[in-house]
Amino acid sequence: MVIAVASGKGGTGKTTIAVSLARTLQQQGLGPVLVSDCDVEAPNAQIFLRADFTEEKEVTHFIPEVDLERCSGCRICSEICQFNALLVLGETPQVFPSLCHGCGSCTLRCPEKAIKEIPYRIGKLERGPVVRDLYLRQGSLQEGEPLAVPVISALKTWDPPDDFRVEIIDSPPGASCPVVEAIRSADHLILVTEPTPFGLHDLRQAAQVARELGVPAGVIINRVGVGDVDIRGFCQEHDLPVYLEIPLDRAIGEGLARGRSLVEINPDYQEDFIVLWKQITSQERSE
């Protein structure tokens, strides 16, 4: 089973939920459990899991390289590029790697065959064990690079342990293309929010993404007490089950700041995550 954890905005606690659920399932003997940190612009599940990364893989895509001796300066390449990644200044072509989506159109259309594709590093992948039956893999976007989707796609297709039973995906925040790429193959989606106007606004967007993708979803309300927005009312209106409410608590904040998961801070939360797991699996069986 693949469970994705997402939020409409950053900082709501989705990583807290992802790693706490993963630790609970592993400790209950429901592993092997694989955590995939797809928040490639700011992966931080490792802060809580402290995996022993034993493998690393570079993520590249192909960008054009122009042979200036063969190039006639015809500008066909720049005219066909929808992303303005290749411009001809005077008669000299200029490539902007960070804008290139690697579609290959310029290479195919160049009448002089002056363009070839070369690999360009946009990020890296890492993976390794945390404890027995718990594994972490994460993607990291190269600093300054804008294209998160290829790194997320590469991470999700990187061979997982052969016998894993559950994958927990820590998705990027928001409701854009990286989020869609992270959650589109999930069997279930947990949306983490908080009872504030911003929390409700972004929950609406995240719930809409889930509906568009056809992924069943439920909600965890974090930092209860930080605001008084009626998240439960919204969830009831949109048939979203509320799995758990976590209070705004100083002890939790201090524990998270020290890199401890929720179930390490307060072991009583293990029972809540077991109930959450049973709710999700019962929904899957009923469908």
Side-chain angles (χ1 to χ4, degrees):
M1 175 179 284
V2 179
I3 300 172
V5 184
S7 61
K9 62 184 285 292
T12 57
K14 62 181 177 56
T15 300
T16 300
I17 300 304
V19 300
S20 297
L21 177 59
R23 281 199 176 275
T24 298
L25 297 180
Q26 180 268 331
Q27 291 169 8
Q28 293 296 311
L30 296 170
V33 178
L34 172 66
V35 177
S36 296
D37 193 343
C38 292
D39 189 358
V40 299
E41 294 188 63
N44 58 9
Q46 170 67 346
I47 295 173
F48 301 96
L49 295 178
R50 296 177 287 280
D52 178 21
F53 288 134
T54 55
E55 295 180 77
E56 182 175 313
K57 182 179 181 181
E58 190 175 70
V59 181
T60 62
H61 75 166
F62 287 96
I63 65 169
E65 182 180 67
V66 182
D67 183 342
L68 297 180
E69 293 186 359
R70 301 183 67 174
C71 176
S72 64
C74 68
R75 290 183 169 79
I76 290 176
C77 56
S78 63
E79 291 169 359
I80 200 172
C81 182
Q82 299 181 38
F83 307 104
N84 297 316
L86 205 160
L87 298 177
V88 179
L89 306 175
E91 294 185 356
T92 304
Q94 179 70 48
V95 177
F96 299 92
S98 63
L99 297 179
C100 180
H101 283 56
C103 70
S105 296
C106 57
T107 303
L108 292 172
R109 292 293 301 274
C110 178
E112 313 298 340
K113 305 299 180 185
I115 302 176
K116 66 177 182 180
E117 294 179 313
I118 60 171
Y120 177 75
R121 178 187 169 105
I122 58 172
K124 70 175 182 179
L125 313 178
E126 298 170 285
R127 67 182 178 189
V130 179
V131 293
R132 182 180 178 182
D133 285 344
L134 180 57
Y135 304 88
L136 171 65
R137 62 182 182 180
Q138 70 173 24
S140 303
L141 189 64
Q142 186 85 357
E143 185 175 348
E145 292 300 320
L147 299 180
V149 169
V151 180
I152 295 171
S153 178
L155 180 67
K156 291 178 66 178
T157 55
W158 199 18
D159 296 336
D162 292 333
D163 56 348
F164 84 96
R165 292 180 59 188
V166 183
E167 180 182 6
I168 310 294
I169 294 177
D170 185 4
S171 81
S176 58
C177 294
V179 179
V180 172
E181 179 63 25
I183 71 176
R184 63 184 173 86
S185 59
D187 300 305
H188 201 87
L189 179 62
I190 299 172
L191 298 173
V192 184
T193 189
E194 56 191 20
T196 64
F198 283 125
L200 178 57
H201 174 272
D202 294 327
L203 176 61
R204 290 181 188 276
Q205 291 186 314
Q208 179 64 29
V209 171
R211 285 192 293 270
E212 293 289 338
L213 294 176
V215 181
V219 174
I220 290 179
I221 308 174
N222 194 22
R223 300 193 186 96
V224 173
V226 74
D228 58 2
V229 173
D230 185 15
I231 299 294
R232 276 193 170 272
F234 170 82
C235 293
Q236 185 175 4
E237 181 184 349
H238 292 85
D239 296 320
L240 291 168
V242 176
Y243 294 135
L244 179 61
E245 292 188 7
I246 302 170
L248 180 66
D249 184 275
R250 183 183 180 90
I252 292 176
E254 290 177 347
L256 294 175
R258 293 186 173 93
R260 301 173 66 201
S261 69
L262 190 59
V263 293
E264 291 172 302
I265 298 167
N266 185 347
D268 290 344
Y269 276 106
Q270 273 208 11
E271 184 60 35
D272 292 313
F273 282 106
I274 292 169
V275 172
L276 183 155
W277 168 253
K278 290 178 178 178
Q279 287 178 284
I280 291 174
T281 53
S282 66
Q283 289 181 48
E284 293 298 314
R285 285 194 294 270
S286 66
E287 293 170 2

